[in-house]
Short mmCIF file of all heavy atoms in Angstrom, two decimals:
data_model
loop_
_atom_site.label_atom_id
_atom_site.label_comp_id
_atom_site.label_asym_id
_atom_site.label_seq_id
_atom_site.Cartn_x
_atom_site.Cartn_y
_atom_site.Cartn_z
N MET A 1 -27.49 -63.92 31.94
CA MET A 1 -27.63 -65.12 32.72
C MET A 1 -27.78 -64.71 34.18
O MET A 1 -27.03 -63.88 34.67
CB MET A 1 -26.41 -66.00 32.57
CG MET A 1 -26.16 -66.49 31.17
SD MET A 1 -24.58 -67.35 31.11
CE MET A 1 -24.43 -67.51 29.37
N ILE A 2 -28.72 -65.32 34.82
CA ILE A 2 -28.98 -65.03 36.22
C ILE A 2 -28.09 -65.91 37.10
O ILE A 2 -27.87 -67.08 36.80
CB ILE A 2 -30.46 -65.29 36.55
CG1 ILE A 2 -31.34 -64.33 35.73
CG2 ILE A 2 -30.75 -65.14 38.03
CD1 ILE A 2 -32.81 -64.63 35.81
N GLU A 3 -27.58 -65.31 38.19
CA GLU A 3 -26.75 -66.07 39.12
C GLU A 3 -27.42 -67.40 39.46
O GLU A 3 -28.62 -67.46 39.73
CB GLU A 3 -26.56 -65.26 40.41
CG GLU A 3 -25.68 -65.93 41.43
CD GLU A 3 -25.44 -65.06 42.66
OE1 GLU A 3 -25.35 -63.83 42.52
OE2 GLU A 3 -25.35 -65.64 43.76
N GLY A 4 -26.67 -68.48 39.36
CA GLY A 4 -27.20 -69.81 39.63
C GLY A 4 -27.64 -70.57 38.39
O GLY A 4 -27.84 -71.78 38.43
N TRP A 5 -27.78 -69.86 37.24
CA TRP A 5 -28.16 -70.53 36.00
C TRP A 5 -27.08 -71.54 35.63
O TRP A 5 -25.89 -71.30 35.81
CB TRP A 5 -28.31 -69.50 34.87
CG TRP A 5 -28.50 -70.13 33.52
CD1 TRP A 5 -29.67 -70.50 32.96
CD2 TRP A 5 -27.48 -70.47 32.59
NE1 TRP A 5 -29.44 -71.06 31.72
CE2 TRP A 5 -28.10 -71.04 31.47
CE3 TRP A 5 -26.09 -70.35 32.58
CZ2 TRP A 5 -27.40 -71.49 30.36
CZ3 TRP A 5 -25.39 -70.80 31.47
CH2 TRP A 5 -26.04 -71.36 30.37
N ALA A 6 -27.50 -72.69 35.12
CA ALA A 6 -26.54 -73.70 34.67
C ALA A 6 -27.05 -74.34 33.39
O ALA A 6 -28.20 -74.81 33.34
CB ALA A 6 -26.32 -74.75 35.74
N GLY A 7 -26.22 -74.34 32.38
CA GLY A 7 -26.55 -75.01 31.12
C GLY A 7 -25.97 -76.41 31.11
O GLY A 7 -24.95 -76.68 31.74
N ASN A 8 -26.63 -77.29 30.39
CA ASN A 8 -26.14 -78.67 30.27
C ASN A 8 -24.90 -78.72 29.38
O ASN A 8 -24.74 -77.91 28.47
CB ASN A 8 -27.22 -79.56 29.65
CG ASN A 8 -28.42 -79.72 30.55
OD1 ASN A 8 -28.27 -79.77 31.77
ND2 ASN A 8 -29.60 -79.80 29.97
N VAL A 9 -24.04 -79.68 29.64
CA VAL A 9 -22.91 -79.93 28.75
C VAL A 9 -23.49 -80.43 27.42
O VAL A 9 -24.37 -81.30 27.41
CB VAL A 9 -21.92 -80.94 29.36
CG1 VAL A 9 -20.84 -81.32 28.37
CG2 VAL A 9 -21.31 -80.38 30.64
N HIS A 10 -23.03 -79.85 26.33
CA HIS A 10 -23.58 -80.16 25.02
C HIS A 10 -22.53 -79.87 23.95
O HIS A 10 -21.47 -79.34 24.23
CB HIS A 10 -24.83 -79.31 24.76
CG HIS A 10 -24.54 -77.85 24.69
ND1 HIS A 10 -24.28 -77.08 25.82
CD2 HIS A 10 -24.40 -77.02 23.63
CE1 HIS A 10 -24.04 -75.84 25.45
NE2 HIS A 10 -24.08 -75.77 24.12
N SER A 11 -22.87 -80.18 22.72
CA SER A 11 -22.05 -79.78 21.58
C SER A 11 -22.99 -79.43 20.43
O SER A 11 -24.18 -79.77 20.46
CB SER A 11 -21.08 -80.89 21.17
OG SER A 11 -21.79 -82.00 20.66
N HIS A 12 -22.48 -78.73 19.47
CA HIS A 12 -23.25 -78.36 18.27
C HIS A 12 -22.26 -78.21 17.12
O HIS A 12 -21.05 -78.13 17.35
CB HIS A 12 -24.07 -77.08 18.48
CG HIS A 12 -23.38 -76.03 19.27
ND1 HIS A 12 -22.33 -75.28 18.78
CD2 HIS A 12 -23.58 -75.60 20.54
CE1 HIS A 12 -21.92 -74.43 19.71
NE2 HIS A 12 -22.66 -74.61 20.80
N VAL A 13 -22.78 -78.14 15.91
CA VAL A 13 -21.91 -78.08 14.74
C VAL A 13 -21.26 -76.70 14.57
O VAL A 13 -20.28 -76.56 13.85
CB VAL A 13 -22.66 -78.44 13.44
CG1 VAL A 13 -23.18 -79.88 13.52
CG2 VAL A 13 -23.79 -77.47 13.15
N HIS A 14 -21.79 -75.70 15.25
CA HIS A 14 -21.33 -74.33 15.10
C HIS A 14 -20.07 -74.05 15.92
O HIS A 14 -19.94 -74.52 17.04
CB HIS A 14 -22.42 -73.35 15.58
CG HIS A 14 -23.75 -73.64 15.00
ND1 HIS A 14 -24.61 -74.57 15.55
CD2 HIS A 14 -24.37 -73.14 13.91
CE1 HIS A 14 -25.71 -74.63 14.82
NE2 HIS A 14 -25.58 -73.77 13.82
N ASP A 15 -19.14 -73.27 15.36
CA ASP A 15 -18.08 -72.67 16.16
C ASP A 15 -18.75 -71.57 16.98
O ASP A 15 -19.67 -70.90 16.51
CB ASP A 15 -17.00 -72.05 15.28
CG ASP A 15 -16.16 -73.10 14.55
OD1 ASP A 15 -16.23 -74.29 14.90
OD2 ASP A 15 -15.43 -72.70 13.62
N GLN A 16 -18.29 -71.36 18.22
CA GLN A 16 -18.91 -70.37 19.10
C GLN A 16 -17.83 -69.52 19.75
O GLN A 16 -16.83 -70.04 20.25
CB GLN A 16 -19.72 -71.08 20.19
CG GLN A 16 -20.40 -70.16 21.17
CD GLN A 16 -21.23 -70.92 22.20
OE1 GLN A 16 -21.25 -72.15 22.24
NE2 GLN A 16 -21.93 -70.18 23.04
N ILE A 17 -18.05 -68.21 19.71
CA ILE A 17 -17.19 -67.25 20.40
C ILE A 17 -18.06 -66.59 21.46
O ILE A 17 -19.17 -66.15 21.17
CB ILE A 17 -16.63 -66.19 19.45
CG1 ILE A 17 -15.81 -66.84 18.34
CG2 ILE A 17 -15.80 -65.16 20.23
CD1 ILE A 17 -15.46 -65.89 17.22
N VAL A 18 -17.55 -66.51 22.69
CA VAL A 18 -18.29 -65.88 23.79
C VAL A 18 -17.42 -64.78 24.40
O VAL A 18 -16.25 -65.02 24.70
CB VAL A 18 -18.68 -66.90 24.87
CG1 VAL A 18 -19.44 -66.22 26.00
CG2 VAL A 18 -19.50 -68.03 24.27
N TYR A 19 -18.01 -63.60 24.56
CA TYR A 19 -17.34 -62.49 25.24
C TYR A 19 -18.15 -62.15 26.48
O TYR A 19 -19.37 -61.96 26.39
CB TYR A 19 -17.25 -61.27 24.32
CG TYR A 19 -16.66 -60.06 25.02
CD1 TYR A 19 -15.30 -59.98 25.26
CD2 TYR A 19 -17.47 -59.03 25.46
CE1 TYR A 19 -14.75 -58.89 25.92
CE2 TYR A 19 -16.93 -57.93 26.11
CZ TYR A 19 -15.58 -57.87 26.34
OH TYR A 19 -15.04 -56.80 27.00
N VAL A 20 -17.50 -62.11 27.64
CA VAL A 20 -18.19 -61.80 28.90
C VAL A 20 -18.17 -60.29 29.10
O VAL A 20 -17.11 -59.70 29.33
CB VAL A 20 -17.52 -62.53 30.10
CG1 VAL A 20 -18.28 -62.23 31.37
CG2 VAL A 20 -17.44 -64.03 29.85
N VAL A 21 -19.34 -59.67 29.00
CA VAL A 21 -19.47 -58.22 29.17
C VAL A 21 -19.37 -57.87 30.65
O VAL A 21 -18.66 -56.96 31.05
CB VAL A 21 -20.80 -57.71 28.58
CG1 VAL A 21 -20.98 -56.22 28.85
CG2 VAL A 21 -20.88 -58.02 27.09
N ARG A 22 -20.12 -58.63 31.47
CA ARG A 22 -20.04 -58.45 32.93
C ARG A 22 -20.43 -59.75 33.60
O ARG A 22 -21.12 -60.58 33.02
CB ARG A 22 -20.88 -57.29 33.43
CG ARG A 22 -22.36 -57.47 33.32
CD ARG A 22 -23.10 -56.30 33.98
NE ARG A 22 -24.50 -56.29 33.64
CZ ARG A 22 -25.42 -57.02 34.25
NH1 ARG A 22 -25.10 -57.80 35.26
NH2 ARG A 22 -26.68 -56.98 33.87
N GLY A 23 -19.97 -59.92 34.83
CA GLY A 23 -20.34 -61.09 35.60
C GLY A 23 -19.20 -62.07 35.79
O GLY A 23 -18.02 -61.72 35.66
N HIS A 24 -19.58 -63.31 36.10
CA HIS A 24 -18.61 -64.36 36.40
C HIS A 24 -19.24 -65.69 36.00
O HIS A 24 -20.32 -66.04 36.47
CB HIS A 24 -18.29 -64.34 37.90
CG HIS A 24 -17.33 -65.39 38.35
ND1 HIS A 24 -17.05 -65.58 39.67
CD2 HIS A 24 -16.58 -66.30 37.68
CE1 HIS A 24 -16.17 -66.57 39.81
NE2 HIS A 24 -15.88 -67.01 38.59
N LEU A 25 -18.57 -66.41 35.13
CA LEU A 25 -19.03 -67.72 34.65
C LEU A 25 -18.01 -68.79 34.98
O LEU A 25 -16.82 -68.53 35.09
CB LEU A 25 -19.21 -67.72 33.13
CG LEU A 25 -20.12 -66.70 32.48
CD1 LEU A 25 -20.05 -66.86 30.97
CD2 LEU A 25 -21.53 -66.86 32.98
N LYS A 26 -18.51 -70.01 35.10
CA LYS A 26 -17.65 -71.19 35.10
C LYS A 26 -17.99 -71.94 33.81
O LYS A 26 -19.15 -72.24 33.55
CB LYS A 26 -17.92 -72.08 36.31
CG LYS A 26 -17.30 -71.53 37.58
CD LYS A 26 -17.00 -72.64 38.57
CE LYS A 26 -16.41 -72.08 39.83
NZ LYS A 26 -15.01 -71.75 39.71
N VAL A 27 -16.97 -72.20 33.02
CA VAL A 27 -17.16 -72.88 31.75
C VAL A 27 -16.44 -74.22 31.81
O VAL A 27 -15.30 -74.30 32.26
CB VAL A 27 -16.60 -72.04 30.59
CG1 VAL A 27 -16.67 -72.81 29.28
CG2 VAL A 27 -17.37 -70.73 30.47
N THR A 28 -17.13 -75.27 31.38
CA THR A 28 -16.54 -76.59 31.27
C THR A 28 -16.34 -76.88 29.79
O THR A 28 -17.27 -76.71 29.00
CB THR A 28 -17.48 -77.66 31.88
OG1 THR A 28 -17.73 -77.33 33.24
CG2 THR A 28 -16.87 -79.04 31.79
N CYS A 29 -15.12 -77.27 29.44
CA CYS A 29 -14.83 -77.58 28.05
C CYS A 29 -13.85 -78.75 28.03
O CYS A 29 -12.76 -78.65 28.62
CB CYS A 29 -14.24 -76.37 27.34
SG CYS A 29 -14.04 -76.60 25.57
N GLN A 30 -14.26 -79.83 27.42
CA GLN A 30 -13.46 -81.05 27.33
C GLN A 30 -12.95 -81.49 28.70
O GLN A 30 -11.80 -81.89 28.87
CB GLN A 30 -12.30 -80.86 26.35
CG GLN A 30 -12.77 -80.68 24.93
CD GLN A 30 -11.64 -80.62 23.94
OE1 GLN A 30 -10.63 -79.95 24.17
NE2 GLN A 30 -11.82 -81.31 22.84
N GLY A 31 -13.84 -81.41 29.70
CA GLY A 31 -13.52 -81.89 31.03
C GLY A 31 -12.72 -80.94 31.90
O GLY A 31 -12.44 -81.24 33.06
N LYS A 32 -12.33 -79.78 31.37
CA LYS A 32 -11.60 -78.79 32.16
C LYS A 32 -12.55 -77.65 32.53
O LYS A 32 -13.45 -77.31 31.78
CB LYS A 32 -10.42 -78.23 31.37
CG LYS A 32 -9.38 -79.28 31.05
CD LYS A 32 -8.24 -78.69 30.26
CE LYS A 32 -7.24 -79.78 29.91
NZ LYS A 32 -6.18 -79.30 29.04
N ILE A 33 -12.32 -77.05 33.70
CA ILE A 33 -13.18 -75.97 34.19
C ILE A 33 -12.38 -74.67 34.18
O ILE A 33 -11.24 -74.61 34.64
CB ILE A 33 -13.70 -76.27 35.60
CG1 ILE A 33 -14.54 -77.54 35.58
CG2 ILE A 33 -14.53 -75.09 36.13
CD1 ILE A 33 -14.97 -78.02 36.94
N PHE A 34 -13.02 -73.61 33.65
CA PHE A 34 -12.39 -72.30 33.54
C PHE A 34 -13.29 -71.25 34.20
O PHE A 34 -14.51 -71.30 34.06
CB PHE A 34 -12.20 -71.91 32.07
CG PHE A 34 -11.38 -72.90 31.29
CD1 PHE A 34 -11.99 -73.97 30.63
CD2 PHE A 34 -10.00 -72.78 31.22
CE1 PHE A 34 -11.24 -74.87 29.91
CE2 PHE A 34 -9.24 -73.69 30.50
CZ PHE A 34 -9.87 -74.75 29.85
N ASP A 35 -12.68 -70.29 34.92
CA ASP A 35 -13.39 -69.14 35.47
C ASP A 35 -13.25 -67.99 34.49
O ASP A 35 -12.14 -67.67 34.06
CB ASP A 35 -12.77 -68.70 36.81
CG ASP A 35 -13.30 -69.51 37.98
OD1 ASP A 35 -14.53 -69.54 38.16
OD2 ASP A 35 -12.47 -70.11 38.68
N LEU A 36 -14.37 -67.38 34.13
CA LEU A 36 -14.36 -66.25 33.20
C LEU A 36 -15.07 -65.07 33.84
O LEU A 36 -16.14 -65.23 34.45
CB LEU A 36 -15.05 -66.62 31.90
CG LEU A 36 -14.40 -67.76 31.13
CD1 LEU A 36 -15.30 -68.22 30.01
CD2 LEU A 36 -13.06 -67.33 30.58
N ARG A 37 -14.49 -63.89 33.68
CA ARG A 37 -15.06 -62.66 34.22
C ARG A 37 -15.09 -61.60 33.13
O ARG A 37 -14.61 -61.82 32.02
CB ARG A 37 -14.22 -62.20 35.41
CG ARG A 37 -14.33 -63.16 36.60
CD ARG A 37 -13.46 -62.71 37.77
NE ARG A 37 -13.69 -63.52 38.96
CZ ARG A 37 -13.17 -64.71 39.20
NH1 ARG A 37 -12.39 -65.27 38.29
NH2 ARG A 37 -13.43 -65.37 40.30
N ALA A 38 -15.67 -60.45 33.46
CA ALA A 38 -15.80 -59.36 32.50
C ALA A 38 -14.49 -59.13 31.75
O ALA A 38 -13.42 -59.06 32.35
CB ALA A 38 -16.24 -58.09 33.22
N GLY A 39 -14.60 -59.06 30.43
CA GLY A 39 -13.44 -58.84 29.57
C GLY A 39 -12.83 -60.11 29.03
O GLY A 39 -12.03 -60.06 28.09
N ASP A 40 -13.20 -61.25 29.60
CA ASP A 40 -12.68 -62.53 29.11
C ASP A 40 -13.50 -63.03 27.92
O ASP A 40 -14.66 -62.65 27.75
CB ASP A 40 -12.72 -63.60 30.21
CG ASP A 40 -11.73 -63.34 31.33
OD1 ASP A 40 -10.74 -62.63 31.10
OD2 ASP A 40 -11.96 -63.85 32.44
N SER A 41 -12.89 -63.89 27.13
CA SER A 41 -13.59 -64.51 26.00
C SER A 41 -13.10 -65.93 25.84
O SER A 41 -12.06 -66.31 26.37
CB SER A 41 -13.37 -63.72 24.72
OG SER A 41 -12.00 -63.67 24.40
N PHE A 42 -13.86 -66.73 25.10
CA PHE A 42 -13.43 -68.07 24.78
C PHE A 42 -14.03 -68.51 23.46
O PHE A 42 -15.02 -67.94 22.99
CB PHE A 42 -13.74 -69.07 25.90
CG PHE A 42 -15.21 -69.33 26.15
CD1 PHE A 42 -15.84 -70.43 25.59
CD2 PHE A 42 -15.94 -68.50 26.99
CE1 PHE A 42 -17.18 -70.68 25.83
CE2 PHE A 42 -17.28 -68.76 27.24
CZ PHE A 42 -17.90 -69.84 26.66
N VAL A 43 -13.40 -69.50 22.86
CA VAL A 43 -13.84 -70.06 21.58
C VAL A 43 -14.03 -71.55 21.75
O VAL A 43 -13.19 -72.22 22.35
CB VAL A 43 -12.79 -69.80 20.47
CG1 VAL A 43 -13.21 -70.46 19.17
CG2 VAL A 43 -12.57 -68.31 20.28
N VAL A 44 -15.14 -72.06 21.23
CA VAL A 44 -15.40 -73.50 21.23
C VAL A 44 -15.63 -73.91 19.78
O VAL A 44 -16.50 -73.35 19.11
CB VAL A 44 -16.66 -73.85 22.07
CG1 VAL A 44 -16.92 -75.34 22.03
CG2 VAL A 44 -16.51 -73.37 23.49
N ARG A 45 -14.84 -74.83 19.30
CA ARG A 45 -15.01 -75.34 17.94
C ARG A 45 -16.25 -76.23 17.88
O ARG A 45 -16.64 -76.86 18.87
CB ARG A 45 -13.78 -76.14 17.52
CG ARG A 45 -12.47 -75.38 17.52
CD ARG A 45 -12.43 -74.29 16.50
NE ARG A 45 -12.57 -74.85 15.16
CZ ARG A 45 -12.32 -74.17 14.06
NH1 ARG A 45 -11.91 -72.95 14.11
NH2 ARG A 45 -12.47 -74.74 12.89
N GLY A 46 -16.86 -76.29 16.72
CA GLY A 46 -18.01 -77.16 16.53
C GLY A 46 -17.68 -78.60 16.88
O GLY A 46 -16.57 -79.07 16.62
N GLY A 47 -18.61 -79.27 17.53
CA GLY A 47 -18.44 -80.67 17.90
C GLY A 47 -17.77 -80.90 19.24
O GLY A 47 -17.69 -82.04 19.69
N VAL A 48 -17.28 -79.83 19.90
CA VAL A 48 -16.60 -79.97 21.19
C VAL A 48 -17.62 -79.81 22.32
O VAL A 48 -18.39 -78.85 22.35
CB VAL A 48 -15.48 -78.91 21.33
CG1 VAL A 48 -14.87 -78.95 22.73
CG2 VAL A 48 -14.42 -79.14 20.27
N GLU A 49 -17.64 -80.76 23.26
CA GLU A 49 -18.57 -80.68 24.39
C GLU A 49 -18.16 -79.56 25.34
O GLU A 49 -16.99 -79.41 25.66
CB GLU A 49 -18.61 -82.01 25.15
CG GLU A 49 -19.34 -83.09 24.40
CD GLU A 49 -19.70 -84.26 25.29
OE1 GLU A 49 -19.13 -84.41 26.38
OE2 GLU A 49 -20.58 -85.03 24.87
N HIS A 50 -19.16 -78.78 25.76
CA HIS A 50 -18.93 -77.65 26.64
C HIS A 50 -20.22 -77.31 27.39
O HIS A 50 -21.30 -77.73 27.01
CB HIS A 50 -18.44 -76.44 25.85
CG HIS A 50 -19.44 -75.97 24.83
ND1 HIS A 50 -19.65 -76.65 23.64
CD2 HIS A 50 -20.30 -74.94 24.82
CE1 HIS A 50 -20.60 -76.03 22.95
NE2 HIS A 50 -21.01 -74.98 23.65
N GLY A 51 -20.09 -76.54 28.44
CA GLY A 51 -21.23 -76.06 29.20
C GLY A 51 -20.80 -74.88 30.05
O GLY A 51 -19.61 -74.59 30.17
N ALA A 52 -21.77 -74.18 30.62
CA ALA A 52 -21.44 -73.01 31.44
C ALA A 52 -22.45 -72.88 32.56
O ALA A 52 -23.57 -73.39 32.49
CB ALA A 52 -21.44 -71.75 30.58
N SER A 53 -22.03 -72.15 33.60
CA SER A 53 -22.93 -71.78 34.68
C SER A 53 -22.56 -70.38 35.13
O SER A 53 -21.42 -69.94 34.99
CB SER A 53 -22.85 -72.77 35.84
OG SER A 53 -21.55 -72.80 36.37
N ALA A 54 -23.56 -69.65 35.65
CA ALA A 54 -23.35 -68.27 36.09
C ALA A 54 -23.09 -68.25 37.59
O ALA A 54 -23.97 -68.59 38.39
CB ALA A 54 -24.57 -67.43 35.74
N VAL A 55 -21.88 -67.86 37.97
CA VAL A 55 -21.54 -67.70 39.38
C VAL A 55 -22.18 -66.43 39.91
O VAL A 55 -22.64 -66.37 41.05
CB VAL A 55 -20.00 -67.66 39.56
CG1 VAL A 55 -19.62 -67.43 41.01
CG2 VAL A 55 -19.37 -68.94 39.03
N LYS A 56 -22.23 -65.39 39.06
CA LYS A 56 -22.90 -64.12 39.36
C LYS A 56 -23.75 -63.74 38.16
O LYS A 56 -23.55 -64.28 37.06
CB LYS A 56 -21.87 -63.03 39.63
CG LYS A 56 -21.00 -63.30 40.85
CD LYS A 56 -20.19 -62.08 41.20
CE LYS A 56 -19.35 -62.40 42.42
NZ LYS A 56 -19.63 -61.59 43.55
N ASP A 57 -24.70 -62.82 38.35
CA ASP A 57 -25.45 -62.32 37.20
C ASP A 57 -24.46 -61.91 36.12
O ASP A 57 -23.47 -61.23 36.41
CB ASP A 57 -26.30 -61.12 37.59
CG ASP A 57 -27.50 -61.49 38.46
OD1 ASP A 57 -27.79 -62.69 38.60
OD2 ASP A 57 -28.15 -60.56 38.98
N SER A 58 -24.72 -62.32 34.88
CA SER A 58 -23.75 -62.11 33.80
C SER A 58 -24.43 -61.70 32.51
O SER A 58 -25.57 -62.09 32.25
CB SER A 58 -22.95 -63.40 33.55
OG SER A 58 -22.28 -63.80 34.72
N VAL A 59 -23.70 -60.94 31.72
CA VAL A 59 -24.11 -60.59 30.37
C VAL A 59 -23.00 -61.05 29.44
O VAL A 59 -21.82 -60.74 29.68
CB VAL A 59 -24.33 -59.07 30.21
CG1 VAL A 59 -24.61 -58.70 28.77
CG2 VAL A 59 -25.47 -58.59 31.11
N VAL A 60 -23.37 -61.80 28.40
CA VAL A 60 -22.38 -62.29 27.44
C VAL A 60 -22.85 -61.98 26.02
O VAL A 60 -24.04 -61.79 25.78
CB VAL A 60 -22.13 -63.81 27.58
CG1 VAL A 60 -21.67 -64.16 28.98
CG2 VAL A 60 -23.36 -64.61 27.19
N ILE A 61 -21.90 -61.94 25.12
CA ILE A 61 -22.19 -61.86 23.69
C ILE A 61 -21.77 -63.19 23.09
O ILE A 61 -20.61 -63.59 23.22
CB ILE A 61 -21.44 -60.70 23.03
CG1 ILE A 61 -21.88 -59.37 23.63
CG2 ILE A 61 -21.67 -60.73 21.51
CD1 ILE A 61 -21.05 -58.18 23.18
N ASP A 62 -22.72 -63.89 22.49
CA ASP A 62 -22.45 -65.17 21.82
C ASP A 62 -22.45 -64.94 20.31
O ASP A 62 -23.37 -64.32 19.77
CB ASP A 62 -23.56 -66.19 22.12
CG ASP A 62 -23.36 -66.94 23.41
OD1 ASP A 62 -22.23 -67.34 23.70
OD2 ASP A 62 -24.36 -67.14 24.12
N ILE A 63 -21.44 -65.47 19.65
CA ILE A 63 -21.36 -65.41 18.19
C ILE A 63 -21.19 -66.83 17.69
O ILE A 63 -20.33 -67.57 18.18
CB ILE A 63 -20.17 -64.54 17.74
CG1 ILE A 63 -20.33 -63.12 18.30
CG2 ILE A 63 -20.05 -64.54 16.21
CD1 ILE A 63 -19.09 -62.29 18.19
N PHE A 64 -22.02 -67.21 16.72
CA PHE A 64 -21.96 -68.55 16.16
C PHE A 64 -21.70 -68.48 14.66
O PHE A 64 -22.23 -67.60 13.98
CB PHE A 64 -23.30 -69.29 16.37
CG PHE A 64 -23.63 -69.55 17.79
CD1 PHE A 64 -24.40 -68.66 18.52
CD2 PHE A 64 -23.19 -70.71 18.42
CE1 PHE A 64 -24.73 -68.91 19.85
CE2 PHE A 64 -23.51 -70.97 19.74
CZ PHE A 64 -24.28 -70.07 20.46
N THR A 65 -20.91 -69.41 14.17
CA THR A 65 -20.74 -69.55 12.74
C THR A 65 -20.71 -71.03 12.39
O THR A 65 -20.03 -71.79 13.09
CB THR A 65 -19.47 -68.83 12.23
OG1 THR A 65 -19.46 -68.86 10.79
CG2 THR A 65 -18.20 -69.43 12.76
N PRO A 66 -21.47 -71.49 11.43
CA PRO A 66 -22.41 -70.68 10.66
C PRO A 66 -23.55 -70.19 11.56
O PRO A 66 -23.72 -70.67 12.68
CB PRO A 66 -22.93 -71.66 9.59
CG PRO A 66 -22.69 -73.02 10.14
CD PRO A 66 -21.50 -72.91 11.04
N CYS A 67 -24.32 -69.26 11.04
CA CYS A 67 -25.41 -68.65 11.79
C CYS A 67 -26.34 -69.72 12.35
O CYS A 67 -26.64 -70.72 11.68
CB CYS A 67 -26.19 -67.73 10.86
SG CYS A 67 -27.59 -66.92 11.65
N ARG A 68 -26.78 -69.53 13.61
CA ARG A 68 -27.76 -70.45 14.21
C ARG A 68 -29.16 -69.93 13.92
O ARG A 68 -29.65 -69.02 14.57
CB ARG A 68 -27.55 -70.54 15.72
CG ARG A 68 -26.32 -71.36 16.06
CD ARG A 68 -26.30 -71.81 17.46
NE ARG A 68 -27.46 -72.60 17.82
CZ ARG A 68 -27.51 -73.36 18.91
NH1 ARG A 68 -26.47 -73.43 19.71
NH2 ARG A 68 -28.59 -74.04 19.19
N ASP A 69 -29.79 -70.50 12.92
CA ASP A 69 -31.12 -70.07 12.51
C ASP A 69 -32.14 -70.22 13.65
O ASP A 69 -33.10 -69.47 13.72
CB ASP A 69 -31.60 -70.85 11.28
CG ASP A 69 -30.79 -70.52 10.04
OD1 ASP A 69 -30.24 -69.38 9.98
OD2 ASP A 69 -30.68 -71.38 9.16
N ASP A 70 -31.90 -71.18 14.58
CA ASP A 70 -32.84 -71.37 15.67
C ASP A 70 -32.78 -70.24 16.70
O ASP A 70 -33.64 -70.13 17.55
CB ASP A 70 -32.60 -72.73 16.36
CG ASP A 70 -31.18 -72.91 16.87
OD1 ASP A 70 -30.24 -72.45 16.21
OD2 ASP A 70 -31.02 -73.55 17.92
N TYR A 71 -31.79 -69.36 16.61
CA TYR A 71 -31.67 -68.21 17.51
C TYR A 71 -32.25 -66.93 16.90
O TYR A 71 -32.30 -65.91 17.56
CB TYR A 71 -30.22 -67.97 17.90
CG TYR A 71 -29.70 -68.86 19.01
CD1 TYR A 71 -30.28 -70.08 19.30
CD2 TYR A 71 -28.62 -68.46 19.77
CE1 TYR A 71 -29.80 -70.89 20.31
CE2 TYR A 71 -28.13 -69.26 20.79
CZ TYR A 71 -28.73 -70.46 21.05
OH TYR A 71 -28.24 -71.26 22.07
N ILE A 72 -32.63 -66.96 15.67
CA ILE A 72 -33.16 -65.78 14.99
C ILE A 72 -34.66 -65.65 15.29
O ILE A 72 -35.42 -66.61 15.14
CB ILE A 72 -32.92 -65.85 13.46
CG1 ILE A 72 -31.43 -65.85 13.18
CG2 ILE A 72 -33.61 -64.69 12.76
CD1 ILE A 72 -31.08 -66.05 11.73
N ILE A 73 -35.03 -64.46 15.71
CA ILE A 73 -36.44 -64.21 16.04
C ILE A 73 -37.17 -63.74 14.81
O ILE A 73 -36.74 -62.94 14.06
CB ILE A 73 -36.56 -63.15 17.16
CG1 ILE A 73 -35.87 -63.68 18.41
CG2 ILE A 73 -38.01 -62.83 17.44
CD1 ILE A 73 -35.79 -62.68 19.54
#
């Protein structure tokens, strides 16, 4: 994610695990805002509204279950 990137608040049926490899994110989940930096992780259950923005250039690992077929190339 490039510094300044911002995703819309959304939800999906998938559970999501995010691990921040490097950088700094602000994550909104159920109306609360969290700062995440390298080494931090978070879990969002399916159906829960959430969003993120990159405070600094960031690299994350996203894991979804069940698999998100729309992310497969």
Side-chain angles (χ1 to χ4, degrees):
M1 298 173 190
I2 297 171
E3 182 177 325
W5 172 87
N8 294 325
V9 173
H10 65 284
S11 67
H12 39 72
V13 298
H14 310 85
D15 290 346
Q16 180 179 3
I17 301 169
V18 180
Y19 175 76
V20 182
V21 176
R22 68 175 167 83
H24 179 186
L25 303 177
K26 283 206 181 282
V27 174
T28 302
C29 187
Q30 294 185 316
K32 296 180 182 174
I33 299 173
F34 303 90
D35 276 304
L36 298 169
R37 292 179 173 81
D40 291 337
S41 61
F42 66 96
V43 176
V44 179
R45 300 294 298 193
V48 174
E49 287 196 343
H50 62 285
S53 61
V55 178
K56 297 190 180 242
D57 288 350
S58 302
V59 174
V60 302
I61 297 172
D62 275 318
I63 301 166
F64 295 93
T65 187
C67 179
R68 286 197 58 164
D69 293 333
D70 56 323
Y71 279 24
I72 297 175
I73 298 174

